[in-house]
Amino acid sequence: MTEAFVTGCGRVVYDDVGPRNDGPTLLLVHGFPLSRAMWRAQLEGLAATCRVVAPDLRGFGGSTLGGWPGGGGASLDRYADDLVALLDRLEPRGPVALVGFSMGGYVALALERWLPGVCDALVLMDTRAVADTDEGRATRLKMADHVAEWGASRVAELMRPRLFAPQTPESVVAETARVIAATNPAAIAAAQRAMATRPDSTPLLPLVAKPTLVVVGEHDAISPPEEMRAIAEAVSGARFAVIADAGHMAPVEDPDAVNDLLRGFARSL
Ligand code: MLT
């Protein structure tokens, strides 16, 4: 079921499927510059196990940028605020696992920094704890400054080579490119500026005190497996899993393997 609510002058759209009982809820937070569409296989495949909720972050998919004029007011903390407002609305009766994919993982770590009690468990998927290098930040800010003239389809072309494993079918690659090309350039600029200012979360990792699963595609070129293994080693008791033959977009490249991991994790809560 697709729902929407208004928060901080923005309209946030989300999918909410599965049983509303005292079992677990998986809150799936998408990456950049994507939307809840990337979680279609998880929404379909996990709804028999637990409640599954997937929002569009501000400006992406069906959600509006709202009161972030020109994208200037965006920050990972503000995306995290929207998740808190969403959880208030959901009133989950059981444990909540926040599943943060890539940029969604940065938002999950922002929430972990300020309000660690909001979620009971964490899945960090194809994401990073470190801040940008100076070079990486400059590349982001260049895109933020120019995306209005470039258009989102150029962003899709720029990102495509780093998102997938070599063996991923062209239909999967094309579907993600289509989602990126349809994204509002102002949302892309806002998110790039938000990610460029994110702090190094490495010191936060040993403070995470909740069940944690760390998942990465074997060929992830953006958040490489060795970097994600280090994240898992820094979080006490965290589990680490590698999705074979997948790249950065593991949830769409091998949805069955990702769903098996998420199903097992949800059942363990
Ligand atoms: C993502 O998939 O969300 C992005 O690649 C993250 C990033 O740009 O650092």
Side-chain angles (χ1 to χ4, degrees):
M1 188 173 9
T2 299
E3 312 243 20
F5 69 105
V6 171
T7 178
C9 296
R11 180 172 176 270
V12 173
V13 172
Y14 62 99
D15 285 327
D16 184 355
V17 299
R20 299 179 185 196
N21 53 23
D22 52 9
T25 295
L26 295 177
L27 177 58
L28 310 177
V29 185
H30 65 79
F32 167 88
L34 302 163
S35 73
R36 71 189 197 284
M38 69 163 283
W39 298 117
R40 193 176 54 222
Q42 283 68 44
L43 288 157
E44 284 172 11
L46 296 169
T49 303
C50 59
R51 190 174 184 184
V52 189
V53 178
D56 282 335
L57 295 174
R58 290 278 196 113
F60 295 96
S63 295
T64 65
L65 256 182
W68 298 355
S75 71
L76 296 172
D77 293 350
R78 295 184 80 171
Y79 293 123
D81 281 347
D82 288 347
L83 297 184
V84 174
L86 171 59
L87 283 168
D88 277 351
R89 187 181 158 86
L90 296 175
E91 297 183 330
R93 301 212 306 268
V96 174
L98 179 48
V99 182
F101 170 82
S102 202
M103 179 176 76
Y106 307 160
V107 178
L109 289 171
L111 195 54
E112 196 56 37
R113 176 173 292 108
W114 301 119
L115 288 171
V118 166
C119 293
D120 307 285
L122 195 56
V123 180
L124 295 171
M125 194 176 291
D126 297 285
T127 191
R128 311 186 72 190
V130 293
D132 283 347
T133 60
D134 289 346
E135 192 190 348
R137 190 174 300 115
T139 305
R140 279 194 199 289
L141 296 177
K142 182 175 172 197
M143 183 184 289
D145 288 345
H146 293 284
V147 64
E149 70 202 63
W150 290 352
S153 46
R154 172 140 170 213
V155 173
E157 284 314 307
L158 286 170
M159 292 193 70
R160 190 182 176 119
R162 303 189 71 211
L163 292 179
F164 297 95
Q167 56 270 62
T168 297
E170 182 52 32
S171 56
V172 174
V173 175
E175 172 59 16
T176 297
R178 195 193 58 72
V179 171
I180 297 175
T183 300
N184 175 3
I188 292 177
Q192 285 289 44
R193 293 197 175 101
M195 289 190 283
T197 59
R198 75 186 191 283
D200 179 10
S201 291
T202 310
L204 181 69
L205 299 174
L207 306 177
V208 174
K210 58 186 62 170
T212 300
L213 171 65
V214 177
V215 181
V216 65
E218 181 186 5
H219 302 291
D220 189 335
I222 294 175
S223 33
E226 57 275 20
E227 196 177 307
M228 293 221 67
R229 181 186 294 279
I231 293 176
E233 284 171 357
V235 177
S236 172
R239 257 195 74 200
F240 178 61
V242 177
I243 308 291
D245 298 331
H248 185 63
M249 294 298 301
V252 298
E253 292 178 272
D254 193 344
D256 291 343
V258 168
N259 285 1
D260 283 348
L261 285 168
L262 292 178
R263 194 178 292 113
F265 187 66
R267 284 185 175 142
S268 73
L269 297 177

